[in-house]
Amino acid sequence: MILLFVADPIETFKTHKDSTFAMMREAAKRGHEIWACEVGDLVWRSGGRVVARKARALALTGDAKDWFTVLATQELVLAETGAVLMRKDPPFDSEYFYATHLLGQAEREGARVFNKPAALREHPEKLALMEFPQFCPPTLVTRSAEVIRAFHAEHRDIILKPLDGMGGAGIFRVGADGLNLGSIIETLNKNGAETVMVQRYLPEILQGDKRVLVIGGEAVPFCLARIPQGGEVRGNLAAGGKGVAQPISERDREIAAALGPVLAARGLLLVGLDVIGGSLTEINVTSPTCFQEITDQTGFDVAKMFVDALERALLA
């Protein structure tokens, strides 16, 4: 069947670690046709169906550098594919939001889209965890500098982050002395114009910010602990963190078992839970990663588990 990947430019893929590439490779092994487009290629004309204007059919070469050849470039009707996989990286900005509406229309026309566009909109990655307070650390979402200051006074050591960030960008830690708290608030909330998330600092970050993948409602048995390096407070790989694969803990299993079936039922085939110590800190739904790091270090084939789940979902 045709699998259309809506992603960032494929020329930018780092194939040694890219999870979307791992999905493509596994699907191609099974004989599926691999197509790719970018969000900017999506077009909906009045009276017509949603199409990918310049979709490209790919043949994977097996070469690490020149990893694909283009077999064809054409307009592709999304409803005529076997599945559409939305793998565009954050930020979840207005353009991403509009793309989910185009994909939602494609669904109404008969396309099967993963993750489900409505579920992407309803589960913003920083905010989605607030539905599950039993698993998350003390957390605040606000535009108010006064409320943030009160939260700091209560918890003394806090993390502040923008709601639309990715890869650890824009994350700040403020300790008990409150040094630069005012400046950080102004930077993040743009003088009250933008909403900020604040969480109590979790010292367990020194053992890693764990990415626990949940596929089709079930946890991958290994996670990737992203361990801060060089005095950093951020474990994100994009911020220089070291990725160490390890078996998931009993607490990880407990969180995944509680959230996995709920999120899967809402149309989220693939979810990345971020867990520090025993606390859930984010729920990633746009384009969760770490497939290849886990597979390379443990031998567990995450991409195979994903494509298995995708094929089951398409038969449902």
Side-chain angles (χ1 to χ4, degrees):
M1 73 178 74
I2 292 175
L3 301 182
L4 174 64
F5 289 81
V6 182
D8 290 304
I10 57 176
E11 292 81 4
T12 68
F13 282 19
K14 296 179 174 61
T15 57
H16 67 283
K17 65 176 184 178
D18 192 281
S19 295
T20 303
F21 169 74
M23 295 174 184
M24 290 178 170
R25 182 174 56 192
E26 176 62 25
K29 286 180 185 176
R30 304 184 187 200
H32 297 300
E33 293 184 38
I34 307 302
W35 290 69
C37 74
E38 299 173 28
V39 166
D41 294 322
L42 299 178
V43 175
W44 182 19
R45 299 178 182 88
S46 58
R49 293 186 290 176
V50 177
V51 301
R53 186 172 61 93
K54 293 182 179 179
R56 292 186 283 177
L58 307 180
L60 277 56
T61 66
D63 186 279
K65 184 176 181 181
D66 297 317
W67 64 272
F68 69 91
T69 58
V70 177
L71 302 177
T73 301
Q74 67 180 62
E75 183 172 280
L76 187 65
V77 178
L78 270 61
E80 293 180 356
T81 67
V84 178
L85 293 95
M86 179 51 160
R87 291 289 300 171
K88 172 71 177 70
D89 282 342
F92 195 111
D93 55 15
S94 58
E95 288 304 315
Y96 193 107
F97 178 77
Y98 300 145
T100 67
H101 281 286
L102 294 179
L103 293 172
Q105 173 60 23
E107 273 192 322
R108 290 188 287 274
E109 296 164 3
R112 302 291 301 275
V113 184
F114 304 90
N115 284 326
K116 193 174 179 66
L120 290 174
R121 290 195 299 274
E122 292 167 5
H123 296 82
E125 299 187 330
K126 301 293 191 297
L127 291 176
L129 66 89
M130 300 293 278
E131 182 182 350
F132 307 99
Q134 69 272 36
F135 298 118
C136 64
T139 302
L140 169 71
V141 178
T142 184
R143 297 198 310 188
S144 169
E146 179 183 357
V147 174
I148 294 173
R149 289 183 182 279
F151 188 89
H152 175 260
E154 178 182 359
H155 295 287
R156 308 299 294 166
D157 199 350
I158 63 173
I159 294 290
L160 302 93
K161 61 180 88 170
L163 291 183
D164 60 355
M166 65 169 287
I171 292 179
F172 295 88
R173 177 186 177 186
V174 177
D177 59 8
L179 187 64
N180 288 329
L181 178 58
S183 177
I184 291 168
I185 293 172
E186 291 168 9
T187 298
L188 291 178
N189 82 347
K190 306 293 194 296
N191 293 313
E194 296 188 9
T195 304
V196 179
M197 172 169 276
V198 192
Q199 293 178 321
R200 185 179 68 197
Y201 173 72
L202 299 171
E204 296 92 339
I205 183 63
L206 298 177
Q207 283 75 55
D209 178 356
K210 294 181 289 185
R211 169 59 54 84
V212 178
L213 294 169
V214 180
I215 298 173
E218 297 183 7
V220 172
F222 297 90
C223 65
L224 191 74
R226 298 159 298 173
I227 302 170
Q229 302 294 299
E232 263 285 357
V233 71
R234 301 170 297 173
N236 309 74
L237 300 182
K242 178 182 179 181
V244 178
Q246 56 189 231
I248 61 174
S249 68
E250 286 304 312
R251 177 62 168 177
D252 299 336
R253 289 184 186 277
E254 178 188 0
I255 295 172
L259 274 62
V262 173
L263 299 176
R266 296 174 183 175
L268 295 169
L269 181 69
L270 172 61
V271 174
L273 306 177
D274 287 351
V275 180
I276 299 176
S279 296
L280 177 69
T281 60
E282 287 187 20
I283 299 176
N284 297 273
V285 301
T286 52
S287 58
T289 59
C290 300
F291 279 38
Q292 294 205 67
E293 293 91 342
I294 292 172
T295 298
D296 290 345
Q297 294 183 42
T298 69
F300 182 87
D301 196 332
V302 182
K304 180 181 183 300
M305 181 177 174
F306 174 79
V307 179
D308 284 345
L310 174 65
E311 291 176 340
R312 285 196 303 270
L314 291 171
L315 292 173

